[in-house]
Amino acid sequence: MHDERKRPLRMALIGGGGAGFIGKVHAVAATLDRQAELVAGALSSDPARALAAASEFGLERAYGSYQELLAAERALPEHERVDFVSIATPNFTHRTIATAALEAGFHVVCDKPMTTTVEDASQLVQTVEQSQRVFALTHNYSGYPLIRQARDMIAGGELGDILALRATYMQGWMHGMQPEAVPARGAWKSDPDKNGRAGSLGDIGTHAFHLLQFVGGQQPASLLCDMHSYSPHHDLDDYGQAVIRFAGGATGSVIYSQVTHGRLNDLSIEIDGTRASLAWRQESPNQLVVRALGQPTQIYERNPNAAYSTAAAKAACRLPGGHPEAFFEAFANVYRDAFADMHRMAEGTPIDARKSLYPSVYDGHEGVRFMHRCLESQQADGAWQAW
């Protein structure tokens, strides 16, 4: 039993073939620490494309559909079948595929947003709870060491009482889109039936919102939102800003854009407390800036050997200080934390997903709620919406 438990977990990838980049990110991140190996996949909704793409990933077992994958893997002996599936498909398919995988007895790692409707999110919460399986959502920015450092500092009271939280996520790639052109990847994101009604809000706004909650630990009470569609290639939102009132009295804001010239993947977070403030940028992820009135500005660096680094920050590091770590490593941290719970379950140890470092089904539910409260506020001409 012990040796079997220590073997690499077997992974199946659903979606992610063709020109898309996120499937390859899943494959790299999940296997980065050699705690898992990719052995099976159904890489496209088109059976022929799914089978053709298998060679790119070096799959042992290729399937033409996720239904075929789940049925065939379930029929294999336990020591051969996959342990978990990773879902890198369009948003509207997440609940259906995740539900089928969980009911077949597999753990699930799913791309965000978790679902396109609150109703689907609530149903998925119930399915996960009934399945007794791990469900992780790849809000990968929560995996950065200094994000976990910031979370620990706030939880430990180093910033004092939290006054305000701000997250911005700015990109500009939509200016390169032409109205009639079909993009090489992500064409479904312009289709509300496949993407859901939240355009850039669902794509990047949910990342910013999750980061605020993950780091700040504040529970929303109400919000208002203003959303716009500036790019001519679609009708969904591509710019928006939400103001959030938190239950503890703090205020917050989320600003997102995919139409800001010159911005590549500029996600940042700032948090103000009564004793100090902090700031972090994803494009400079190995530094955390902390400021206090009358005190010199402090720059915390990603350094597992530094005395100031918290246990969670150290555990998220793979390299000595000064050796940059970034996107793949942060993504891999989400997987590594989920793997730990998969192993605990295999040992018969109960887990509490609400206390996990990896984003869980409950975080996913909150993200979908955020999307829909923003959409409801927009439809009500910017009126405040109770959480």
Side-chain angles (χ1 to χ4, degrees), residues 150-195:
R151 172 187 168 103
D152 287 343
M153 292 172 68
I154 289 171
E158 293 187 42
L159 267 65
D161 295 331
I162 300 303
L163 304 176
L165 308 91
R166 299 175 297 279
T168 62
Y169 201 155
M170 315 300 282
Q171 298 176 341
W173 60 268
M174 281 193 182
H175 285 295
M177 300 287 293
Q178 300 301 317
E180 298 82 13
V182 177
R185 62 181 178 87
W188 58 268
K189 291 185 179 182
S190 298
D191 183 347
D193 291 332
K194 296 181 179 180
N195 181 83

Side-chain angles (χ1 to χ4, degrees), residues 87-126:
I87 302 172
T89 59
N91 300 346
F92 79 104
T93 67
H94 290 176
R95 184 191 68 82
T96 301
I97 298 174
T99 298
L102 292 163
E103 291 178 346
F106 301 111
H107 302 293
V108 171
V109 179
C110 184
D111 239 27
K112 56 80 215 162
M114 188 170 77
T115 64
T116 58
T117 70
V118 175
E119 292 75 17
D120 279 355
S122 297
Q123 290 176 14
L124 193 50
V125 169
Q126 294 179 6

Side-chain angles (χ1 to χ4, degrees), residues 71-342:
E73 291 295 323
R74 180 62 179 165
L76 290 173
E78 186 174 354
H79 68 277
E80 294 181 19
R81 72 175 69 127
V82 298
D83 299 289
F84 70 96
V85 301
S86 294
I87 302 172
T89 59
N91 300 346
F92 79 104
T93 67
H94 290 176
R95 184 191 68 82
T96 301
I97 298 174
T99 298
L102 292 163
E103 291 178 346
F106 301 111
H107 302 293
V108 171
V109 179
C110 184
D111 239 27
K112 56 80 215 162
M114 188 170 77
T115 64
T116 58
T117 70
V118 175
E119 292 75 17
D120 279 355
S122 297
Q123 290 176 14
L124 193 50
V125 169
Q126 294 179 6
T127 301
V128 171
E129 291 176 343
Q130 293 167 2
S131 72
Q132 294 296 298
R133 291 293 180 268
V134 171
F135 180 96
L137 196 69
T138 51
H139 280 301
N140 53 290
Y141 299 108
S142 64
Y144 281 99
L146 287 174
I147 282 294
R148 296 185 174 189
Q149 173 88 23
R151 172 187 168 103
D152 287 343
M153 292 172 68
I154 289 171
E158 293 187 42
L159 267 65
D161 295 331
I162 300 303
L163 304 176
L165 308 91
R166 299 175 297 279
T168 62
Y169 201 155
M170 315 300 282
Q171 298 176 341
W173 60 268
M174 281 193 182
H175 285 295
M177 300 287 293
Q178 300 301 317
E180 298 82 13
V182 177
R185 62 181 178 87
W188 58 268
K189 291 185 179 182
S190 298
D191 183 347
D193 291 332
K194 296 181 179 180
N195 181 83
R197 293 183 297 130
S200 298
L201 170 63
D203 192 20
I204 61 174
T206 52
H207 270 311
F209 171 73
H210 176 260
L211 207 58
L212 277 191
Q213 281 204 300
F214 182 81
V215 176
Q218 305 292 306
Q219 177 60 36
S222 60
L223 64 73
L224 64 81
C225 189
D226 182 42
M227 300 161 63
H228 299 272
S229 180
Y230 292 121
S231 178
H233 89 280
H234 71 167
D235 295 323
L236 297 175
D237 63 281
D238 47 43
Y239 186 97
Q241 46 197 328
V243 178
I244 306 169
R245 291 172 178 163
F246 292 99
T251 186
S253 65
V254 170
I255 302 175
Y256 66 90
S257 170
Q258 292 183 319
V259 290
T260 300
H261 276 287
R263 299 294 184 92
L264 297 177
N265 197 51
D266 195 359
L267 170 62
S268 65
I269 183 171
E270 297 181 78
I271 298 183
D272 300 335
T274 54
R275 296 178 59 189
S277 67
L278 60 77
W280 177 88
R281 286 187 66 192
Q282 193 272 155
E283 292 186 352
S284 302
N286 291 303
Q287 291 189 333
L288 175 69
V289 180
V290 179
R291 299 180 176 92
L293 182 65
Q295 300 296 320
T297 297
Q298 300 180 72
I299 298 178
Y300 287 62
E301 295 186 316
R302 186 206 60 78
N303 185 352
N305 296 318
Y308 59 73
S309 295
T310 66
K314 291 178 180 179
C317 295
R318 290 171 177 77
L319 299 173
H323 298 75
E325 290 188 13
F327 188 83
F328 280 114
E329 288 83 358
F331 214 106
N333 282 335
V334 172
Y335 267 102
R336 188 164 64 180
D337 294 333
F339 292 160
D341 267 3
M342 292 180 196

Side-chain angles (χ1 to χ4, degrees), residues 53-67:
S55 62
E56 299 177 20
F57 288 82
L59 296 182
E60 295 178 11
R61 304 190 289 270
Y63 300 97
S65 69
Y66 81 85
Q67 296 96 329

Side-chain angles (χ1 to χ4, degrees), residues 334-369:
V334 172
Y335 267 102
R336 188 164 64 180
D337 294 333
F339 292 160
D341 267 3
M342 292 180 196
H343 285 304
R344 291 186 186 102
M345 278 193 166
E347 296 168 347
T349 303
I351 67 167
D352 185 352
R354 293 184 185 275
K355 296 180 180 179
S356 65
L357 273 177
Y358 63 86
S360 71
V361 71
Y362 304 108
D363 298 292
H365 189 277
E366 287 288 278
V368 176
R369 185 190 295 270

